[in-house]
Coordinates of all heavy atoms in Angstrom, one line a residue:
M1 N 45.0 82.0 -18.4 CA 44.5 81.5 -17.1 C 43.6 82.6 -16.5 O 44.0 83.7 -16.3 CB 45.7 81.2 -16.2 CG 45.4 80.6 -14.9 SD 46.8 79.9 -14.1 CE 47.0 80.9 -12.7
P2 N 42.4 82.3 -16.1 CA 41.5 83.3 -15.5 C 41.9 83.7 -14.2 O 42.6 83.0 -13.4 CB 40.1 82.6 -15.5 CG 40.5 81.1 -15.5 CD 41.8 81.0 -16.2
D3 N 41.5 84.9 -13.8 CA 41.8 85.5 -12.5 C 41.1 84.7 -11.4 O 39.9 84.5 -11.5 CB 41.4 87.0 -12.5 CG 41.9 87.7 -11.2 OD1 42.9 87.3 -10.7 OD2 41.2 88.6 -10.8
M4 N 41.9 84.3 -10.4 CA 41.3 83.4 -9.3 C 40.3 84.2 -8.5 O 39.3 83.7 -8.1 CB 42.4 82.9 -8.5 CG 43.2 81.8 -9.2 SD 42.3 80.4 -9.7 CE 42.0 79.6 -8.1
S5 N 40.6 85.5 -8.3 CA 39.7 86.3 -7.4 C 38.3 86.5 -8.1 O 37.3 86.5 -7.4 CB 40.3 87.6 -7.1 OG 40.5 88.4 -8.3
A6 N 38.3 86.6 -9.4 CA 37.0 86.7 -10.1 C 36.2 85.5 -10.0 O 35.0 85.5 -9.8 CB 37.3 87.0 -11.6
S7 N 36.8 84.3 -10.1 CA 36.1 83.0 -10.0 C 35.6 82.8 -8.6 O 34.5 82.3 -8.3 CB 36.9 81.9 -10.5 OG 38.1 81.7 -9.7
V8 N 36.4 83.2 -7.6 CA 36.0 83.1 -6.2 C 34.8 84.0 -5.9 O 33.8 83.6 -5.3 CB 37.2 83.4 -5.2 CG1 36.7 83.5 -3.8 CG2 38.2 82.3 -5.4
S9 N 34.9 85.3 -6.4 CA 33.8 86.2 -6.1 C 32.5 85.7 -6.8 O 31.4 85.9 -6.3 CB 34.1 87.6 -6.6 OG 34.3 87.7 -7.9
L10 N 32.7 85.1 -8.0 CA 31.5 84.6 -8.7 C 30.9 83.4 -7.9 O 29.7 83.3 -7.8 CB 31.9 84.1 -10.1 CG 30.8 83.5 -11.0 CD1 29.8 84.6 -11.3 CD2 31.4 83.0 -12.3
A11 N 31.7 82.6 -7.4 CA 31.2 81.4 -6.6 C 30.5 81.9 -5.3 O 29.4 81.4 -4.9 CB 32.3 80.5 -6.2
V12 N 31.1 83.0 -4.7 CA 30.5 83.5 -3.5 C 29.1 84.1 -3.8 O 28.2 84.0 -3.0 CB 31.4 84.5 -2.8 CG1 30.8 85.2 -1.7 CG2 32.7 83.8 -2.3
T13 N 29.0 84.8 -4.9 CA 27.7 85.5 -5.2 C 26.6 84.5 -5.5 O 25.5 84.7 -5.2 CB 27.8 86.4 -6.4 OG1 28.4 85.7 -7.5 CG2 28.7 87.6 -6.1
H14 N 27.0 83.3 -6.0 CA 26.0 82.2 -6.2 C 25.7 81.5 -4.9 O 24.6 81.0 -4.7 CB 26.5 81.2 -7.2 CG 26.5 81.8 -8.6 ND1 25.3 82.1 -9.3 CD2 27.5 82.0 -9.5 CE1 25.6 82.5 -10.5 NE2 26.9 82.5 -10.6
L15 N 26.6 81.4 -3.9 CA 26.4 80.7 -2.7 C 25.7 81.5 -1.6 O 25.1 80.9 -0.7 CB 27.7 80.1 -2.2 CG 28.4 79.0 -3.0 CD1 29.7 78.7 -2.4 CD2 27.5 77.8 -3.1
V16 N 25.8 82.8 -1.7 CA 25.2 83.7 -0.7 C 23.7 83.5 -0.6 O 23.1 83.3 0.5 CB 25.6 85.2 -0.9 CG1 24.7 86.1 0.0 CG2 27.0 85.4 -0.6
P17 N 22.9 83.4 -1.7 CA 21.5 83.2 -1.6 C 21.2 81.8 -1.0 O 20.2 81.7 -0.2 CB 21.0 83.3 -3.0 CG 22.0 84.0 -3.8 CD 23.3 83.8 -3.1
L18 N 22.0 80.8 -1.3 CA 21.8 79.5 -0.7 C 22.0 79.5 0.8 O 21.3 78.9 1.6 CB 22.7 78.5 -1.3 CG 22.5 78.2 -2.8 CD1 23.6 77.3 -3.3 CD2 21.1 77.6 -3.0
A19 N 23.0 80.3 1.3 CA 23.3 80.4 2.7 C 22.1 81.1 3.5 O 21.9 80.8 4.6 CB 24.6 81.2 2.9
K20 N 21.4 82.0 2.8 CA 20.3 82.7 3.5 C 19.2 81.7 3.8 O 18.4 81.9 4.7 CB 19.8 83.8 2.6 CG 20.8 84.9 2.3 CD 20.9 85.9 3.3 CE 21.8 87.0 2.9 NZ 22.2 87.9 3.9
E21 N 19.0 80.7 2.9 CA 17.9 79.7 3.1 C 18.2 78.7 4.2 O 17.2 78.1 4.7 CB 17.7 78.9 1.8 CG 17.3 79.8 0.7 CD 17.2 79.1 -0.7 OE1 17.4 77.8 -0.6 OE2 17.0 79.7 -1.7
I22 N 19.4 78.6 4.6 CA 19.8 77.6 5.7 C 19.4 78.2 7.1 O 19.5 79.4 7.3 CB 21.3 77.3 5.7 CG1 21.6 76.7 4.3 CG2 21.7 76.4 6.8 CD1 23.1 76.4 4.1
D23 N 18.8 77.3 7.9 CA 18.5 77.7 9.3 C 19.7 78.2 10.0 O 20.7 77.4 10.1 CB 17.8 76.5 10.0 CG 17.3 76.9 11.4 OD1 17.3 78.1 11.7 OD2 17.0 76.0 12.1
E24 N 19.8 79.4 10.5 CA 21.0 79.9 11.2 C 21.3 79.3 12.5 O 22.4 79.4 13.0 CB 20.8 81.4 11.3 CG 20.8 82.1 10.0 CD 20.7 83.6 10.1 OE1 20.7 84.1 11.2 OE2 20.6 84.3 9.1
N25 N 20.3 78.6 13.1 CA 20.5 77.9 14.4 C 21.0 76.5 14.2 O 21.2 75.8 15.2 CB 19.2 77.9 15.2 CG 18.8 79.3 15.5 OD1 19.6 80.2 15.8 ND2 17.5 79.6 15.6
K26 N 21.1 76.0 13.0 CA 21.5 74.6 12.8 C 22.8 74.6 12.0 O 22.9 75.2 10.9 CB 20.4 73.9 12.0 CG 20.7 72.5 11.8 CD 19.5 71.9 11.0 CE 19.7 70.4 10.8 NZ 18.6 69.8 10.0
V27 N 23.9 74.0 12.5 CA 25.1 73.9 11.8 C 25.4 72.4 11.4 O 25.4 71.6 12.3 CB 26.3 74.4 12.7 CG1 27.6 74.3 12.0 CG2 26.0 75.8 13.2
T28 N 25.6 72.2 10.2 CA 25.9 70.9 9.7 C 27.1 70.9 8.8 O 27.4 71.9 8.2 CB 24.7 70.3 8.9 OG1 24.5 71.1 7.7 CG2 23.5 70.2 9.7
P29 N 27.9 69.8 8.7 CA 29.1 69.8 7.8 C 28.7 69.7 6.3 O 29.5 70.2 5.5 CB 29.8 68.5 8.2 CG 28.8 67.7 8.9 CD 27.8 68.6 9.5
G30 N 27.5 69.2 6.0 CA 27.1 69.2 4.7 C 27.7 68.1 3.8 O 28.5 67.3 4.3
V31 N 27.5 68.3 2.5 CA 28.0 67.3 1.6 C 29.6 67.4 1.5 O 30.2 66.4 1.4 CB 27.4 67.5 0.2 CG1 28.0 66.6 -0.8 CG2 25.9 67.3 0.3
L32 N 30.1 68.6 1.5 CA 31.5 68.8 1.4 C 32.2 68.1 2.6 O 33.3 67.5 2.4 CB 31.9 70.3 1.3 CG 33.4 70.6 1.2 CD1 34.0 70.0 -0.1 CD2 33.6 72.1 1.3
G33 N 31.7 68.3 3.8 CA 32.2 67.7 4.9 C 32.2 66.1 4.8 O 33.2 65.5 5.2
F34 N 31.2 65.6 4.3 CA 31.1 64.1 4.1 C 32.1 63.7 3.1 O 32.8 62.7 3.3 CB 29.7 63.7 3.7 CG 29.6 62.3 3.3 CD1 29.6 61.3 4.3 CD2 29.6 61.9 2.0 CE1 29.5 59.9 4.0 CE2 29.5 60.5 1.7 CZ 29.5 59.6 2.7
I35 N 32.3 64.4 2.0 CA 33.2 64.0 1.0 C 34.7 64.1 1.5 O 35.4 63.1 1.3 CB 33.1 64.9 -0.3 CG1 31.7 64.6 -1.0 CG2 34.2 64.8 -1.2 CD1 31.4 65.6 -2.1
V36 N 35.0 65.1 2.3 CA 36.3 65.2 2.9 C 36.6 64.1 3.8 O 37.6 63.4 3.8 CB 36.5 66.6 3.6 CG1 37.8 66.6 4.4 CG2 36.5 67.7 2.5
F37 N 35.6 63.8 4.7 CA 35.7 62.7 5.6 C 35.9 61.3 4.9 O 36.7 60.5 5.3 CB 34.5 62.6 6.5 CG 34.6 61.5 7.6 CD1 35.4 61.7 8.7 CD2 33.9 60.4 7.4 CE1 35.4 60.7 9.7 CE2 34.0 59.4 8.4 CZ 34.7 59.5 9.5
A38 N 35.1 61.1 3.8 CA 35.2 59.9 3.1 C 36.5 59.7 2.4 O 37.1 58.6 2.4 CB 34.1 59.8 2.1
V39 N 37.1 60.8 1.9 CA 38.4 60.7 1.2 C 39.5 60.4 2.2 O 40.4 59.6 2.0 CB 38.7 62.0 0.5 CG1 40.1 62.2 0.0 CG2 37.8 62.2 -0.8
M40 N 39.4 61.1 3.4 CA 40.4 60.8 4.5 C 40.3 59.4 5.0 O 41.3 58.7 5.2 CB 40.2 61.8 5.6 CG 40.6 63.2 5.3 SD 40.2 64.4 6.6 CE 41.1 63.7 7.9
A41 N 39.0 58.8 5.1 CA 38.9 57.5 5.5 C 39.5 56.5 4.5 O 40.1 55.5 4.9 CB 37.4 57.2 5.7
L42 N 39.2 56.7 3.2 CA 39.8 55.9 2.2 C 41.4 56.0 2.2 O 42.0 55.0 2.0 CB 39.3 56.3 0.8 CG 37.9 55.8 0.5 CD1 37.4 56.4 -0.8 CD2 37.8 54.3 0.5
A43 N 41.9 57.2 2.4 CA 43.4 57.3 2.5 C 43.9 56.5 3.7 O 45.0 55.8 3.5 CB 43.7 58.8 2.6
V44 N 43.3 56.6 4.8 CA 43.8 55.9 6.0 C 43.7 54.4 5.7 O 44.6 53.6 6.1 CB 43.0 56.3 7.3 CG1 43.3 55.3 8.4 CG2 43.3 57.7 7.6
W45 N 42.6 53.9 5.1 CA 42.4 52.5 4.8 C 43.5 52.0 3.9 O 44.1 51.0 4.1 CB 41.1 52.3 4.2 CG 40.8 50.8 3.8 CD1 40.5 49.8 4.6 CD2 40.9 50.3 2.4 NE1 40.4 48.6 3.8 CE2 40.7 48.9 2.5 CE3 41.2 50.9 1.2 CZ2 40.7 48.2 1.4 CZ3 41.2 50.1 0.1 CH2 41.0 48.7 0.2
G46 N 43.8 52.8 2.9 CA 44.9 52.5 1.9 C 46.3 52.4 2.6 O 47.1 51.5 2.3
L47 N 46.5 53.4 3.4 CA 47.8 53.4 4.2 C 47.9 52.2 5.1 O 49.0 51.6 5.2 CB 48.0 54.7 4.9 CG 48.2 56.0 4.1 CD1 48.1 57.2 4.9 CD2 49.6 55.9 3.4
M48 N 46.9 51.9 5.8 CA 46.9 50.7 6.7 C 47.1 49.4 5.9 O 47.9 48.5 6.3 CB 45.6 50.6 7.5 CG 45.5 51.8 8.5 SD 46.7 51.8 9.8 CE 46.3 50.4 10.7
K49 N 46.5 49.3 4.8 CA 46.7 48.1 3.9 C 48.1 48.0 3.4 O 48.7 47.0 3.5 CB 45.7 48.2 2.8 CG 45.6 46.9 2.0 CD 44.5 46.9 1.0 CE 44.5 45.6 0.2 NZ 43.3 45.5 -0.7
S50 N 48.7 49.1 3.0 CA 50.0 49.2 2.5 C 51.0 48.8 3.7 O 52.0 48.1 3.5 CB 50.4 50.5 1.9 OG 51.7 50.6 1.6
M51 N 50.8 49.4 4.9 CA 51.6 49.1 6.0 C 51.6 47.7 6.4 O 52.6 47.1 6.7 CB 51.2 50.0 7.2 CG 52.2 49.8 8.4 SD 51.7 50.7 9.8 CE 50.2 49.8 10.3
S52 N 50.4 47.1 6.3 CA 50.2 45.7 6.7 C 51.0 44.8 5.7 O 51.7 43.8 6.1 CB 48.8 45.3 6.7 OG 48.6 43.9 6.9
K53 N 51.0 45.2 4.4 CA 51.7 44.4 3.4 C 53.2 44.5 3.6 O 53.9 43.5 3.6 CB 51.3 44.9 2.0 CG 51.9 44.1 0.9 CD 51.4 44.5 -0.5 CE 52.0 45.8 -0.9 NZ 51.7 46.1 -2.3
H54 N 53.7 45.7 3.9 CA 55.1 45.9 4.2 C 55.6 45.3 5.5 O 56.7 44.7 5.5 CB 55.4 47.4 4.2 CG 55.5 48.1 2.9 ND1 54.7 47.6 1.8 CD2 56.2 49.1 2.4 CE1 55.0 48.4 0.7 NE2 55.9 49.3 1.1
M55 N 54.7 45.3 6.5 CA 55.1 44.6 7.8 C 55.2 43.1 7.6 O 55.9 42.5 8.3 CB 54.2 45.0 8.9 CG 54.3 46.5 9.3 SD 55.9 46.9 10.0 CE 55.8 46.1 11.6
G56 N 54.4 42.6 6.7 CA 54.4 41.2 6.4 C 55.8 40.7 5.8 O 56.2 39.6 5.9
K57 N 56.5 41.6 5.1 CA 57.7 41.3 4.5 C 58.9 41.4 5.5 O 60.0 40.9 5.2 CB 58.0 42.3 3.4 CG 57.1 42.2 2.2 CD 57.4 43.2 1.2 CE 56.4 43.2 0.0 NZ 56.7 44.2 -1.0
V58 N 58.7 42.0 6.7 CA 59.8 42.1 7.6 C 60.0 40.8 8.3 O 59.1 40.1 8.8 CB 59.4 43.2 8.7 CG1 60.5 43.3 9.7 CG2 59.2 44.6 8.0
D59 N 61.3 40.5 8.4 CA 61.7 39.3 9.1 C 62.2 39.7 10.5 O 63.2 40.4 10.6 CB 62.9 38.6 8.4 CG 63.3 37.3 9.0 OD1 62.5 36.7 9.8 OD2 64.4 36.8 8.7
F60 N 61.5 39.3 11.6 CA 61.9 39.8 12.9 C 62.9 38.9 13.6 O 63.4 39.2 14.7 CB 60.6 39.8 13.8 CG 59.7 40.9 13.4 CD1 58.5 40.7 12.7 CD2 60.0 42.2 13.8 CE1 57.7 41.7 12.4 CE2 59.2 43.3 13.4 CZ 58.0 43.0 12.7
K61 N 63.3 37.8 13.0 CA 64.3 36.9 13.6 C 65.7 37.5 13.4 O 66.0 37.8 12.2 CB 64.2 35.5 13.0 CG 62.9 34.8 13.3 CD 62.8 33.4 12.7 CE 61.4 32.8 13.0 NZ 61.3 31.5 12.3
E62 N 66.4 37.5 14.4 CA 67.8 38.1 14.3 C 68.7 37.0 13.8 O 68.7 35.8 14.3 CB 68.3 38.5 15.7 CG 69.6 39.2 15.6 CD 70.0 39.8 17.0 OE1 69.1 40.2 17.8 OE2 71.2 39.9 17.2
A63 N 69.5 37.3 12.8 CA 70.4 36.3 12.2 C 71.6 36.1 13.2 O 72.1 37.0 13.8 CB 71.0 36.9 10.9
P64 N 72.0 34.9 13.4 CA 73.1 34.6 14.3 C 74.4 35.2 13.7 O 74.6 35.1 12.5 CB 73.2 33.1 14.4 CG 72.5 32.6 13.1 CD 71.5 33.7 12.8
Q65 N 75.2 35.7 14.6 CA 76.5 36.3 14.2 C 77.5 35.2 14.1 O 77.6 34.3 14.9 CB 76.9 37.4 15.2 CG 76.0 38.6 15.2 CD 76.6 39.6 16.2 OE1 77.5 39.4 16.9 NE2 76.0 40.8 16.1
T66 N 78.3 35.3 13.1 CA 79.4 34.4 12.9 C 80.6 34.9 13.8 O 80.6 36.0 14.2 CB 79.9 34.3 11.4 OG1 80.3 35.6 11.0 CG2 78.7 33.8 10.6
G67 N 81.6 34.0 13.9 CA 82.8 34.4 14.7 C 83.5 35.6 14.2 O 84.1 36.4 14.9
A68 N 83.6 35.7 12.9 CA 84.4 36.8 12.3 C 83.7 38.2 12.5 O 84.3 39.2 12.6 CB 84.5 36.6 10.8
E69 N 82.3 38.2 12.6 CA 81.6 39.4 12.8 C 81.5 39.9 14.2 O 81.2 41.0 14.5 CB 80.2 39.2 12.3 CG 80.1 39.0 10.8 CD 78.7 38.8 10.3 OE1 77.8 38.7 11.1 OE2 78.5 38.6 9.1
Q70 N 81.8 39.0 15.2 CA 81.7 39.4 16.6 C 83.0 40.2 17.0 O 84.1 39.7 16.8 CB 81.6 38.1 17.5 CG 80.3 37.4 17.4 CD 80.3 36.2 18.3 OE1 81.3 35.7 18.8 NE2 79.1 35.6 18.4
P71 N 82.8 41.4 17.6 CA 84.0 42.2 18.0 C 84.6 41.6 19.2 O 83.9 41.0 20.1 CB 83.4 43.5 18.2 CG 82.0 43.3 18.6 CD 81.6 42.1 17.8
D72 N 85.9 41.6 19.3 CA 86.6 41.2 20.5 C 86.3 42.1 21.7 O 86.2 43.3 21.5 CB 88.1 41.1 20.3 CG 88.4 40.0 19.3 OD1 87.7 39.0 19.1 OD2 89.5 40.2 18.6
K73 N 86.2 41.6 22.9 CA 86.0 42.4 24.1 C 87.1 43.4 24.3 O 86.9 44.5 24.7 CB 85.8 41.6 25.3 CG 84.5 40.8 25.2 CD 84.3 40.0 26.5 CE 83.0 39.2 26.4 NZ 82.7 38.4 27.6
A74 N 88.4 43.0 24.0 CA 89.5 43.9 24.2 C 89.5 45.1 23.2 O 89.8 46.2 23.6 CB 90.8 43.1 24.0
D75 N 89.1 44.8 22.0 CA 89.0 45.9 21.0 C 87.9 46.9 21.4 O 88.1 48.1 21.3 CB 88.7 45.3 19.6 CG 89.9 44.5 19.1 OD1 91.0 44.8 19.6 OD2 89.7 43.8 18.1
S76 N 86.7 46.4 21.8 CA 85.7 47.3 22.2 C 86.0 48.1 23.4 O 85.6 49.2 23.6 CB 84.3 46.5 22.4 OG 84.4 45.6 23.4
A77 N 86.7 47.5 24.4 CA 87.1 48.2 25.6 C 88.1 49.3 25.3 O 88.1 50.4 25.8 CB 87.7 47.2 26.6
A78 N 89.0 49.0 24.3 CA 90.1 50.0 23.9 C 89.4 51.2 23.2 O 89.8 52.3 23.3 CB 91.1 49.3 23.0
Q79 N 88.4 50.9 22.4 CA 87.7 52.0 21.7 C 86.9 52.9 22.6 O 86.8 54.1 22.4 CB 86.8 51.4 20.7 CG 87.5 50.7 19.5 CD 86.5 50.1 18.5 OE1 85.3 50.0 18.8 NE2 87.1 49.5 17.4
R80 N 86.4 52.3 23.7 CA 85.5 53.1 24.6 C 86.4 54.1 25.5 O 85.9 55.1 25.9 CB 84.8 52.2 25.6 CG 83.5 51.6 24.9 CD 82.7 50.9 25.9 NE 82.7 49.5 25.5 CZ 82.6 48.5 26.4 NH1 82.5 48.7 27.6 NH2 82.7 47.2 25.9
G81 N 87.5 53.8 25.8 CA 88.2 54.7 26.6 C 89.5 54.3 27.0 O 90.4 54.7 27.5

């Protein structure tokens, strides 16, 4: 495995001349900023699509309770205090 600091310093030495050519009064996100934004937008779109699919499976209607499942008022009062 190559040393990470060597590859970083090599990349920086190649990018420094490119940075000198850029107008110092103009700041832009560049291609990397666009790529990061596009990846984040695709991730949010995918998450929203997945959430929509999962929310479609949810049944919001409450099932009626049967007589055996309903707690007695005396039992619940005794448990409270």
Side-chain angles (χ1 to χ4, degrees):
M1 187 162 112
D3 187 29
M4 291 298 285
S5 61
S7 59
V8 169
S9 65
L10 181 63
V12 169
T13 56
H14 287 294
L15 292 176
V16 167
L18 294 174
K20 300 273 185 197
E21 297 173 7
I22 297 175
D23 184 13
E24 294 181 4
N25 296 326
K26 184 178 180 183
V27 179
T28 62
V31 176
L32 180 62
F34 174 75
I35 291 171
V36 169
F37 182 78
V39 167
M40 288 174 58
L42 285 173
V44 169
W45 176 78
L47 286 171
M48 293 296 289
K49 189 171 180 175
S50 174
M51 185 185 70
S52 176
K53 185 171 77 172
H54 282 31
M55 291 298 286
K57 294 179 182 178
V58 175
D59 182 21
F60 289 104
K61 295 179 183 174
E62 186 174 333
Q65 292 183 351
T66 62
E69 294 177 356
Q70 291 179 347
D72 292 333
K73 291 183 181 179
D75 290 341
S76 63
Q79 290 175 355
R80 279 189 247 151

